[in-house]
Structures are given as C-alpha cells and as structure tokens.
Amino acid sequence: MRSIAMDSNHQSNYKLSKTEKKFVRKQMKARHTLLRHEGIETVSSATQILVVANGGLGNGVSRNQLLPVLEKFGQVDALLMPPNKPYSFVRYKTVEESMKAYDALNGKEIVDDLGQKIILYFNFVEKAQWKELGLQALPPGLMVIEEIISSEDEKILLESVNWTEDTDNQNFQKSLKHRRVKHFGYEFQYENNNVNKDKPLPGGLPAIYDSILEKWLKEGFISYKPDQLTVNQYEPGHGIPAHIDTHSAFEDEIVSLSLGSEIVMDFKHPDGVTVPVMLPRRSLLVMTGESRYLWTHGITPRKFDTVQASKSHKSGIITSDVGDLTLNKRGIRTSFTFRKVRQTPCNCGYPWVCDSQMKEPPPSFPESDREASQLEQEYVHRVYEEIAGHFSSTRHTPWPYIVEFLKALPSGSLVADIGCGNGKYLGINKELYMIGCDRSQNLVDICRERQFQAFVCDALAVPIRSGSCDACISIAVIHHFATAERRVAALQELVRLLRPGGRALIYVWAMEQEYKKRKSKYLRENRIGQGKKEEIHDDASMQELLVEQMPDLRNQDSASSAPSISDSQKGGCNSRKVTNSELPIHINRTSFHSQDLLVPWHLKGTRNKDKPIEPFDPVGSHDPSPVFHRYYHVFREGELEAACRTLNNVSILQSYYDQGNWCVILQKV
C-alpha cells in the first residue's frame, strides 16, 4: 500500500483496483482533515513519526489496544494519544521500523473497545505539535481521600439502598429519567435546585451511616455532621451538568462518596479553566471554599473516561500528558452526596455568584416592550459601556465569511455597519465607503481613535436616509433584543436603509453550538489553562505533551443551581413568551439550555477597589474581577429566516451556519 499512497506517479503507470482507489481516497481525506482541523501537516518522505488517523482516544481506541499492534513492527519510543482526538502519534526507534508499520498497517482493521471495526490510516509527519497547558493543581478547597471505606463496607452500603421499594415512598425520587435517585433528611427539589427546610423527610439519615460519619468527623475529613443525603446511581454513559450547589441551601462543606466504579469529574472556573479530576472507587470528594462556591462541577455523559495509563496514578488531576493517557470503561457508579442544610443566609466571599448576597434576583423574562427596553438598557447597553476596552481587546480577528461578503461588494459602495463595536470590519475593504454606528459611546470612541467614521445611535432608529445604502451588515447585534417584535423591528430598520437591490448580512448567536457533529469554536475553546506551544521534532527527545480536553454537556439531567427558565420557546419569530421566570445565568463555554439568558463577562484590567460590591448590578464591581451579565436571545435553526420572511420587499439569498452563528444574506426587492 505504501507505494500507492506515497508515489504520485504510480497511478499513471499502474491501474488501481477499486479497493486501492478507495484506500487512496480515504487516506487523502484523513490527510486533509488533519491539516484543516488540527494543523497537522503530513510529509511524503518516511520519518520516525507516524500519525494514526482513526486510532485515537476520541473514537474509542485505547492504548492497550493500539500499542501491541504497533509493537509488532519495531520498538515504539512513544505513543502519544491526545484526549478526545480521533488520532494518535507513534514514534519508532528507527525510520525503517516506522516504514514497516506504514506498509503493514495502513488500511487495516482493528476492533475498538465497543467491539466496532475501525480502519487505520497512517501518514508520516516530521513533528507533532500541541499546547502545553499550565494548570497542575486541584481547585482551592478540593480534596480527594482514597480508600475512605473498605470493600466490605462498600458492599454493605450498596446493598442497603433498596431501589425496588414502593415508588410512593417519600425518599424515592421519581422525576429523573436517566438515573435512579433517593433523598434522605430533606428532598432536593430539582425544579428550583433547593430544599424545603420546613418539610424534612421522615426518618432522617439512615442509622447505617452514623458510624461512618462519626469516623470522618473524628479523623477531620468533615467538620460537621450532615443532615441531608442524595443517593444517585449512574449507568455508563450518564452524567450530570456542570453546576454549583445552591449557596443558600447548604453549608460550606459538601462531600461525595463514590462506590461501585471510578469516575472523572470536571471542575470549571468562571474564567473557563477546566480541571478533570479522577474520583477512584471508594474515595471521598470534599468540596469547601472556592471549589464549592465558585467552581462548577459536572460529569460528561460518556461510556469511557480518558485517564492516566500509569497504575500508580489513582486520584487527582488527569494531566494531559499524551504519553500516559488511555481509555477506562465506566461501570455502574453509586454516589452518596452528604450536605448540611443551611439555616442562616450564606455570607461566603463570592457575593457575585451567591444567591443570599445578591442585591436583587436576576431579571425576569420581559412581558412588554417597556420591560424589554429596560432589560436591554441594564443588561446590554450599560454593560458594553463598562467593558468596552476589554471587549475591544478580544475582538481583533475578522470572520472570513464576513470579509468575503465585504470584499465582493462593488467598489464605491456605501455600507453601514449597524452595531459596529470597535470597528473591526470598517477597514476591511478600502474600496468601500463604510460608516459604523453603535449604542456604546465608549466603543464608538475606539472606532474614532482608529480613524473610522462612526456615531452613537440605537439600532432601532438609525439616523441614515432610507434607501441610501448599497449594503448593511449586522454582526452579533440582533440577539441582544429581548422580544421577537423588537428583533423583527431591528431587521426592518436594516431593510429600510437599503436601496432596491441592496444586500444585508446578518449574524446571530446560535442555540446549536454543535452542528453536524462538530463543536463550535465557542465550545472548543473550553480550556484547561493558558499555556505555550510545545513541539516534538523528528530528532528531538520525547517530552510531556499536553492538549486540550473539552466536556460535552449534552443530554444531561439538570442538577444545576443556576436560576432556571422554562425553555418553552421552540423557535420561530412568534415563539411563546415565558412569564414569571428568572433568566438563567449561562455557564461560559458550555452548550445552551435556554434561548433567553444572561452570559457572564469577566472583566480584566484595572479594578476600582473603592467601589462597593453590587451583585447583579451590571455596573457593579468586585474583587478579584468584576463579572457583568449580558442579555442574549440565542436563535434556533430556522428562526432567523422565519423572522426575515415577515419583512416586506425582501428575499433571502442565502442562509448558513458559521462557527456557532446563524447567518442570513437578504436582498431588498
């Protein structure tokens, strides 16, 4: 097979069979995919390093399966398996050995951990590149104690949970369809993520836990005896969404005992830093302080976890050392989560995320145009005035399809950028006459500092003569309007500005952050830490290789403490409004679970330490860094098109999805 794949002149001298043609086609596709999505460039000459397409942890191939296959053809210096990636790198001792593996294994089938057949495709590379990510510590206040109970006690505790008893029993939770749940002491109410402190369950905690809890108290693992217990049983493939246990409901200390099987739990800081932590079987997880109040914790729904291959590594952080990662099949895990119900308001040091210390609750879904306007004033306009400098520093790379639209316009066209922000697109095409407007004075000032023409106005009332623009763009603006009627009005204002035949390009944030089995950049940028790039060259020694690891939070039962909204909007511009519901606060870099929400912005830069803390005040400030909340309505597939179709004298020329956004090009007729 090697000569077929590597010799470009071969096909002219030899007629390929149907099977050989298919192989060449598949190998070329693998080569292009690696270059396009991962930046991995293959070479035609033989080297010591091979990239193995389809042979990765991300598509169910473990180190224990792949390594013996590779070792049949020579001494393997290193097998590098990045987490969640469908490929791996193998470095042989000599080039001759890597050539043997290339010839023998290219196009060969192996069976993955699920019993499915996978065909491997090999290509030579001179180097493998990845990010070295710096965070190597558990979140502050987090502790994992291994072998906290004996295997005999584990068996007794598991057998003590009667899952077959009468479902009318008050301790039996009937609301969760993907896992079995029981509550003792107090029932955890998933509809509002709290407990009813006035209605304790009869019997309290079963006596079987008394001796264990007393032992933990005596040994200093816990500070006080819990009075609430939730028992969850998870089948392989199930998970829980990222969440913070409600501050006002429970005391500082939350502990969870893992029985039956180990699990990897993801902890995430509001800044986006993610730390995967291994919880071994029979271990106790203790969350206090920052890890309890500020970091979210959750379990990605999957049947295999990426874990350290080293047998000496049991608990703690799953480092992204790709030379020491493999897959671990999940078993049935039962968690026993102990809490103490709080009887007084929480006074933790994180008031900006604390429901006890918030000056006022998050805003509710607007029921009138006046309420919508007030919501936008507080949670859009005032926020952008505060964050303008930091926001501008993060908005510097133009999006390719928008650049393509602007560069395709005729020279001399008059173009309006409605909601221009820092003017990122105003200077793209020097052959156009471009003018920008934005609701934020501070962002318009940044445009003027960059010598762009821009002014302050509302996107619902742009002071430009009707029919005077050859084109308009509205990039990431219309999703900030709080009702369907106001979003349609913003679209109508764009159309008003266009001359007959003029075109408008509109981008809005998409509800679907995973589309056609590919995650958006927004989800992919969920990161473990900021770090430098590290390379392995063909003649370099092997070193620790670290890559990104991203949780997938789809299809999970809700156990989040964030305020919730009934997600009854099913798309289309006439979606039914939700009444008397607080807007949820989104967890950055995760999938959306509601269309109308508040998205946090963590301000970087100089802080005003004399300013009082005002949680949920968009212009508030706190230490260590202010958090502001911007209102968004994320659009479902087809919703933007449906809104455009309500407009008069408009035809939709194109509709597409671009990196987590729904996009429309329309023309005034």
Side-chain angles (χ1 to χ4, degrees):
M1 284 288 190
R2 179 170 166 264
S3 60
I4 297 172
M6 295 181 64
D7 187 353
S8 59
N9 298 319
H10 184 89
Q11 295 184 36
S12 61
N13 302 325
Y14 170 74
K15 188 173 181 180
L16 299 179
S17 68
K18 189 174 180 181
T19 301
E20 290 170 334
K21 285 180 180 178
K22 182 178 179 182
F23 167 79
V24 171
R25 194 164 58 248
K26 292 279 189 180
Q27 192 186 40
M28 287 294 292
K29 182 180 178 182
R31 194 177 300 169
H32 292 150
T33 299
L34 287 167
L35 180 61
R36 185 170 68 251
H37 294 309
E38 305 294 341
I40 299 169
E41 191 166 358
T42 61
V43 294
S44 57
S45 56
T47 67
Q48 288 172 259
I49 302 175
L50 290 162
V51 59
V52 188
N54 285 353
L57 301 175
N59 56 325
V61 177
S62 70
R63 180 176 299 272
N64 294 338
Q65 288 174 294
L66 188 58
L67 187 58
V69 174
L70 298 171
E71 286 178 330
K72 292 178 182 178
F73 302 94
Q75 183 176 337
V76 174
D77 275 353
L79 174 59
L80 313 177
M81 305 188 77
N84 302 322
K85 299 294 184 181
Y87 59 83
S88 58
F89 298 97
V90 57
R91 174 177 166 145
Y92 281 95
K93 190 75 173 176
T94 66
V95 173
E96 290 72 27
E97 289 171 330
S98 71
M99 289 172 65
K100 283 182 185 177
Y102 183 99
D103 288 336
L105 296 176
N106 235 327
K108 299 298 183 183
E109 284 185 352
I110 66 168
V111 179
D112 69 8
D113 278 9
L114 293 173
Q116 298 171 325
K117 292 181 179 179
I118 289 180
I119 300 177
L120 302 178
Y121 296 97
F122 288 72
N123 282 287
F124 291 107
V125 292
E126 289 184 345
K127 61 184 180 181
Q129 184 172 298
W130 50 90
K131 285 184 180 179
E132 180 182 0
L133 305 167
L135 189 67
Q136 294 296 313
L138 288 171
L142 190 71
M143 180 169 58
V144 180
I145 303 108
E146 294 181 29
E147 296 296 335
I148 191 73
I149 65 171
S150 66
S151 56
E152 292 78 13
D153 285 340
E154 176 188 39
K155 184 179 179 182
I156 292 170
L157 287 180
L158 289 174
E159 290 176 349
S160 72
V161 183
N162 183 4
W163 296 110
T164 60
E165 69 184 0
D166 185 0
T167 55
D168 290 333
N169 186 295
Q170 286 181 283
N171 298 115
F172 192 86
Q173 169 62 254
K174 298 184 280 288
S175 63
L176 300 183
K177 61 182 179 180
H178 291 305
R179 64 180 188 263
R180 297 198 285 190
V181 181
K182 279 192 170 187
H183 301 291
F184 300 93
Y186 295 84
E187 180 182 354
F188 186 88
Q189 299 169 335
Y190 288 93
E191 63 272 16
N192 60 8
N193 305 300
N194 213 320
V195 294
N196 188 336
K197 299 174 184 178
D198 298 325
K199 289 188 177 180
L201 295 172
L205 270 60
I208 193 172
Y209 303 109
D210 286 344
S211 60
I212 294 172
L213 293 173
E214 290 295 340
K215 182 181 178 184
W216 294 351
L217 277 166
K218 185 177 179 181
E219 295 181 359
F221 296 134
I222 60 176
S223 303
Y224 38 69
K225 193 171 182 179
D227 57 9
Q228 195 275 334
L229 166 63
T230 299
V231 183
N232 282 279
Q233 188 179 82
Y234 300 91
E235 297 283 341
H238 293 164
I240 55 174
H243 68 284
I244 299 171
D245 284 75
T246 306
H247 288 209
S248 63
F250 307 108
E251 293 286 355
D252 177 45
E253 201 170 68
I254 293 176
V255 299
S256 185
L257 176 66
S258 294
L259 301 184
S261 180
E262 63 273 9
I263 199 73
V264 172
M265 181 174 281
D266 293 311
F267 287 82
K268 186 174 180 181
H269 190 272
D271 286 341
V273 175
T274 300
V275 180
V277 177
M278 168 61 86
L279 306 180
R281 183 175 179 177
R282 295 188 295 277
S283 70
L284 185 70
L285 170 71
V286 181
M287 292 184 288
T288 61
E290 184 176 315
S291 66
R292 181 265 188 266
Y293 290 121
L294 188 60
W295 292 64
T296 65
H297 60 278
I299 296 173
T300 303
R302 58 193 174 207
K303 294 188 177 180
F304 292 86
D305 280 321
T306 301
V307 301
Q308 309 295 151
S310 304
K311 291 183 179 179
S312 59
H313 188 284
K314 290 185 179 180
S315 66
I317 292 176
I318 304 298
T319 65
S320 292
D321 174 4
V322 297
D324 186 37
L325 292 180
T326 188
L327 293 179
N328 184 59
K329 191 173 184 178
R330 286 184 181 176
I332 297 175
R333 171 178 172 265
T334 305
S335 69
F336 297 74
T337 302
F338 296 91
R339 309 175 179 93
K340 184 168 180 61
V341 172
R342 186 185 291 278
Q343 301 298 334
T344 58
C346 178
N347 62 351
C348 69
Y350 309 93
W352 60 96
V353 290
C354 178
D355 59 317
S356 287
Q357 300 181 64
M358 290 173 184
K359 260 192 165 184
E360 58 185 45
S364 296
F365 190 91
E367 297 185 49
S368 67
D369 190 74
R370 180 172 171 272
E371 288 182 5
S373 178
Q374 290 175 339
L375 177 66
E376 293 160 15
Q377 175 64 29
E378 291 296 312
Y379 291 92
V380 181
H381 307 326
R382 292 182 68 187
V383 174
Y384 278 105
E385 283 296 276
E386 286 287 321
I387 70 173
H390 182 209
F391 178 82
S392 177
S393 72
T394 67
R395 298 303 191 267
H396 43 74
T397 305
W399 295 348
Y401 287 129
I402 301 171
V403 172
E404 183 181 308
F405 175 85
L406 292 172
K407 289 194 171 181
L409 294 172
S411 178
S413 295
L414 178 62
V415 183
D417 184 349
I418 310 302
C420 63
N422 67 348
K424 181 169 70 173
Y425 295 105
L426 294 179
I428 291 296
N429 185 349
K430 305 296 184 184
E431 302 299 316
L432 305 176
Y433 293 102
M434 288 200 70
I435 189 166
C437 63
D438 199 278
R439 187 63 174 72
S440 166
Q441 178 69 61
N442 288 337
L443 286 172
V444 167
D445 288 345
I446 291 171
C447 291
R448 290 172 177 171
E449 289 170 8
R450 300 170 69 181
Q451 307 302 310
F452 295 135
Q453 297 294 318
F455 58 89
V456 176
C457 78
D458 194 300
L460 294 178
V462 181
I464 296 177
R465 190 176 68 241
S466 300
S468 59
C469 295
D470 298 295
C472 294
I473 61 173
S474 171
I475 310 302
V477 174
I478 292 178
H479 52 219
H480 284 309
F481 287 99
T483 65
E485 292 78 13
R486 292 173 69 82
R487 292 188 284 273
V488 169
L491 293 169
Q492 186 64 62
E493 185 69 353
L494 289 175
V495 176
R496 181 187 68 79
L497 301 177
L498 293 173
R499 64 166 175 79
R503 299 183 177 191
L505 172 64
I506 303 149
Y507 268 58
V508 295
W509 213 358
M511 177 88 168
E512 300 84 357
Q513 287 299 303
E514 183 166 343
Y515 187 65
K516 294 185 177 178
K517 297 183 179 181
R518 179 157 173 78
K519 291 180 179 177
S520 69
K521 185 180 179 182
Y522 176 71
L523 292 188
R524 296 202 309 273
E525 285 183 348
N526 187 354
R527 62 199 186 279
I528 297 178
Q530 301 287 349
K532 61 185 179 181
K533 283 190 175 179
E534 187 119 345
E535 293 184 352
I536 284 293
H537 293 267
D538 193 36
D539 58 351
S541 62
M542 281 294 145
Q543 45 194 301
E544 290 188 0
L545 316 175
L546 306 177
V547 296
E548 294 184 355
Q549 186 165 270
M550 294 167 293
D552 181 352
L553 301 179
R554 296 171 295 161
N555 302 325
Q556 301 180 35
D557 295 317
S558 175
S560 171
S561 66
S564 61
I565 189 170
S566 301
D567 190 10
S568 61
Q569 292 186 306
K570 300 300 181 184
C573 65
N574 295 315
S575 298
R576 181 171 65 86
K577 294 183 178 65
V578 180
T579 59
N580 300 320
S581 295
E582 291 178 350
L583 291 169
I585 301 169
H586 179 60
I587 298 172
N588 284 334
R589 306 291 173 188
T590 66
S591 300
F592 294 117
H593 300 290
S594 175
Q595 280 193 269
D596 295 273
L597 43 88
L598 300 176
V599 177
W601 181 277
H602 296 264
L603 185 65
K604 301 293 188 295
T606 305
R607 299 184 293 274
N608 181 358
K609 301 215 176 200
D610 296 326
K611 199 170 184 181
I613 295 171
E614 297 184 12
F616 275 98
D617 183 344
V619 294
S621 177
H622 63 73
D623 191 16
S625 65
V627 180
F628 301 93
H629 294 87
R630 296 171 294 162
Y631 167 79
Y632 280 86
H633 171 85
V634 290
F635 281 64
R636 292 185 185 272
E637 183 173 7
E639 185 177 351
L640 179 59
E641 291 176 69
C644 291
R645 289 196 185 97
T646 67
L647 307 174
N648 295 323
N649 304 318
V650 163
S651 65
I652 297 175
L653 301 180
Q654 192 178 353
S655 177
Y656 59 96
Y657 179 90
D658 183 18
Q659 279 302 330
N661 298 278
W662 289 115
C663 321
V664 161
I665 298 176
L666 57 79
Q667 185 173 43
K668 187 173 183 177
V669 296

